[in-house]
Amino acid sequence: LNVNRFAAIRRERTTPGDEMAELLLHDLPARAAALWPEAVALVADGRHCTYAQLQQQIVALAAALRGMGLAPGDRVAVFLDKRIETVVASFATTAAGGVLVPVNPVLKPAQVAHILQDSGARVLITASARLAMLQPALTDCPELAHVLVTEATAPDQRAEMCAVHAWPAERDLAAAVARPAAMLETDTAAIFYTSGSTGRPKGVVLSHRNLVAGAISVAAYLGNRPDDVLLAALPLSFDAGFSQLTTAFLVGARVVLL
């Protein structure tokens, strides 16, 4: 990801327009890191993360995912509570060429297994405690090949048929990842699952253009600016909750993860 290519659009600091619809999902934090590197992007549990720091972590995790052999279009499920690592994992997935599958953190193991099966997830990003809870259900997810935990050390247990990996270390923050050559704004970026209140959850497929255009629209009618603070009260596994991230990143605002 070459942040220099975003330097030419500094004039759009507060007035992003439809001409930006060709950006990819992970271009939003990369562009913000180029325009507002020292601005705080995220606040969670007393932790502050600037846009420059956020982009460093996204690039490092994307490199780790590519190192696992993630192929373009592979599904990456993110089953975490609302925290900085959840945001990093979400944008690193598409930066590595994958498709994000956010999973509601309150779901039971059988419900998580259904989403993993239905989406054909190849990678699961979660925490060690959540992995221990999910392990019995993972036997029903034959396509799952890798589990990446948010801890710096992978747990001793192995998930059935899966390799378990630790979160990238600080020394890996300088790693680089090449932008997948075949990625277009019309490619699939994410699959958001419905709540399943009237049946099993169904996956809604969204392109990069869908997500970026939504951010442009919301930021425009709310008049969002770099000095705004957005309270992310909704789950990031819901489209409206996730759009609080994309809208803020588009304009360089701060997101407080509630």
Side-chain angles (χ1 to χ4, degrees):
L1 295 174
N2 183 2
V3 296
N4 290 331
R5 71 190 183 89
F6 299 114
I9 52 179
R10 287 181 180 273
R11 64 184 181 277
E12 298 163 21
R13 279 179 180 269
T14 58
T15 56
D18 291 340
E19 69 277 3
M20 294 176 60
E22 293 186 1
L23 292 177
L24 303 179
L25 177 63
H26 49 277
D27 286 338
L28 296 178
R31 171 180 173 272
L35 299 180
W36 308 281
E38 300 307 316
V40 174
L42 297 170
V43 178
D45 295 327
R47 297 168 59 194
H48 290 69
C49 180
T50 67
Y51 276 107
Q53 293 168 334
L54 175 62
Q55 180 60 14
Q56 275 189 317
Q57 294 183 54
I58 289 172
V59 169
L61 187 60
L65 290 171
R66 293 294 292 272
M68 294 177 198
L70 189 76
D74 278 353
R75 276 58 169 155
V76 178
V78 178
F79 181 53
L80 289 168
D81 54 356
K82 199 186 299 178
R83 53 198 289 193
I84 290 174
E85 288 81 2
T86 311
V87 179
V88 172
S90 299
F91 289 88
T93 291
T94 60
V99 174
L100 169 66
V101 182
V103 182
N104 193 323
V106 303
L107 294 184
K108 302 288 195 297
Q111 295 171 304
V112 176
H114 163 69
I115 292 176
L116 297 178
Q117 295 164 5
D118 189 68
S119 65
R122 291 280 295 165
V123 178
L124 170 64
I125 301 179
T126 190
S128 293
R130 288 177 177 268
L131 175 58
M133 176 185 69
L134 287 176
Q135 274 198 299
L138 295 183
T139 58
D140 298 324
C141 305
E143 293 189 61
L144 189 65
H146 300 275
V147 175
L148 190 149
V149 295
T150 53
E151 289 76 18
T153 304
D156 292 336
Q157 75 266 26
R158 286 180 59 85
E160 290 292 333
M161 301 177 292
C162 297
V164 181
H165 309 266
W167 194 259
E170 287 290 329
R171 64 177 179 274
D172 297 324
L173 289 180
V177 57
R179 181 182 176 125
M183 293 185 73
L184 300 170
E185 70 273 12
T186 52
D187 288 342
T188 299
I191 303 175
F192 282 81
Y193 275 79
T194 60
S195 61
S197 56
T198 59
R200 281 196 157 187
K202 297 176 178 62
V204 180
V205 179
L206 298 169
S207 69
H208 290 270
R209 179 179 288 173
N210 290 148
L211 294 169
V212 174
I216 292 171
S217 174
V218 174
Y221 72 69
L222 291 181
N224 288 126
R225 306 179 309 183
D227 58 349
D228 281 343
V229 179
L230 281 68
L231 181 64
L234 296 172
L236 301 182
S237 55
F238 289 177
D239 57 350
F242 193 80
S243 77
Q244 292 179 301
L245 296 175
T246 58
T247 301
F249 293 175
L250 181 75
V251 300
R254 178 182 308 194
V255 180
V256 178
L257 301 176
L258 180 63

